[in-house]
Every structure is written in C-alpha cells, then in structure tokens.
Amino acid sequence: QDMTMNKLRFSLVGLLGRDKELGTLHACLDRAMQPEEQTKEIVMISGYSGTGKSTLAFDLKKRVKSMKGGGAFVTGKFDQYHSGEPLSAITQAFGELCRTVIKEGPSTCNEIKEALHLELQNEVYLLTQIIPDLNQIIKSQTHPARTSDNAASGARQTRIHYAFRVFTRV
C-alpha cells in the first residue's frame, strides 16, 4: 500500500514579512558588486531568538553565490555559549574568511600578507590575537608593537579598530 505523508515545508514558504530587511541586504550586496567600483561591506544582523536572522543571512548567501564574479560570504554568530569571549562572532567570520583565502592559493595569501604588513607592520599582531586563522596567511611570527601606550586600553582599542579597517579593506 502506498502511503503518502503530508509535510509542512517551511523552506517553500520563504521569508514572510521581511521584504524591508531583504531589500536592505540586497542593496548592500548591489553596492559591493558595482562593476566600476567594488567595495567591501560588513553587515550585522541582530534580533531576538527565532526571528529569522539566520534565514535572512542564508538568503543573502544564496544570492552572493549565484552572482557572476562571486564574492565572499562568511558568518559568525554571538551566542550564549561564547558570551564571555569578546568579538567571538567576528573571530568566527574573519576566521572563515581566512580559510577561504587560504583555499585560493599562495599567491592570494602573499598579496594579503604583504598588504597587511605594509600598512600595519607589527600591528598585524593585534589581528592575529583576535583572528588566529590569520596566522596561516601571515606565516611569520608577529610581535606586539613596542609603544608607550601598550597599557592604555583606549589607545589599544583605537589600534584594533584601525587594524580591522585595514584588514577589511585588504
């Protein structure tokens, strides 16, 4: 006897009531993929549990993967188990980006390594402390810069922000 089971398939429904958010995400992607002037954008999606944040992100991921010329799509997630780890989602996302770059080959890794060292010099150390996977691209021992403001948290925070801006630009 042939028994057919009816199943409710949410994947066929799609995102309901999230047109505004999808439009914002698609506009970010469109800006980043302009042929005459490609840019890099970081998008952070926030909200309460169960509100569809992951579904929004993966909808964008499908669109990134289907575009000509591609693009990198990485994710990181703040969750209750990593709440004591500062920047855990950023560490996850940029770690995934580093692993993607490594798969592209040594020439891409060398370009990134040279660009980071040129602009940041020993400040690359700050990034490798937050993004351990970056060590696989840098492949050299980095040491903290010897400056008089190493102990000042405000100055350190400024250097970290600058290092992240350089990293995302490279």
Side-chain angles (χ1 to χ4, degrees):
Q1 219 175 14
D2 185 23
M3 299 180 92
T4 305
M5 212 182 249
N6 290 331
K7 295 179 185 179
L8 181 59
R9 296 184 189 162
F10 287 102
S11 61
L12 299 177
V13 176
L15 286 165
L16 297 175
R18 301 304 288 262
D19 294 335
K20 179 181 174 188
E21 291 86 353
L22 281 172
T24 300
L25 292 173
H26 292 175
C28 289
L29 179 60
D30 292 342
R31 279 192 307 272
M33 298 304 290
Q34 290 295 317
E36 59 275 355
E37 186 180 327
Q38 286 191 340
T39 62
K40 296 173 182 158
E41 295 210 15
I42 296 174
V43 176
M44 296 190 183
I45 302 171
S46 64
Y48 294 108
S49 300
T51 57
K53 298 177 301 295
S54 296
T55 305
L56 276 171
F58 288 110
D59 180 81
L60 184 64
K61 182 178 185 173
K62 284 189 289 188
R63 189 154 180 222
V64 168
K65 298 296 181 188
S66 70
M67 294 185 85
K68 290 181 182 176
F73 181 91
V74 295
T75 59
K77 192 170 189 172
F78 289 106
D79 63 32
Q80 65 182 359
Y81 303 111
H82 293 104
S83 63
E85 296 175 35
L87 306 174
S88 62
I90 292 170
T91 298
Q92 288 173 23
F94 285 145
E96 185 180 340
L97 181 61
C98 288
R99 292 186 295 276
T100 301
V101 166
I102 291 164
K103 289 178 188 174
E104 289 181 19
S107 64
T108 304
C109 290
N110 285 333
E111 281 178 40
I112 290 172
K113 175 183 174 178
E114 289 173 16
L116 286 175
H117 275 297
L118 181 68
E119 184 122 11
L120 295 175
Q121 298 165 359
N122 282 344
E123 298 293 338
V124 171
Y125 173 79
L126 293 171
L127 290 175
T128 61
Q129 296 303 296
I130 297 167
I131 312 165
D133 290 312
L134 184 58
N135 282 313
Q136 295 177 14
I137 294 173
I138 302 298
K139 291 187 180 178
S140 65
Q141 290 294 330
T142 57
H143 303 286
R146 289 180 170 77
T147 61
S148 60
D149 62 359
N150 264 348
S153 64
R156 180 177 164 82
Q157 193 71 30
T158 300
R159 292 192 338 258
I160 289 171
H161 287 176
Y162 176 71
F164 269 117
R165 281 195 309 273
V166 169
F167 181 70
T168 56
R169 195 172 59 233
V170 170

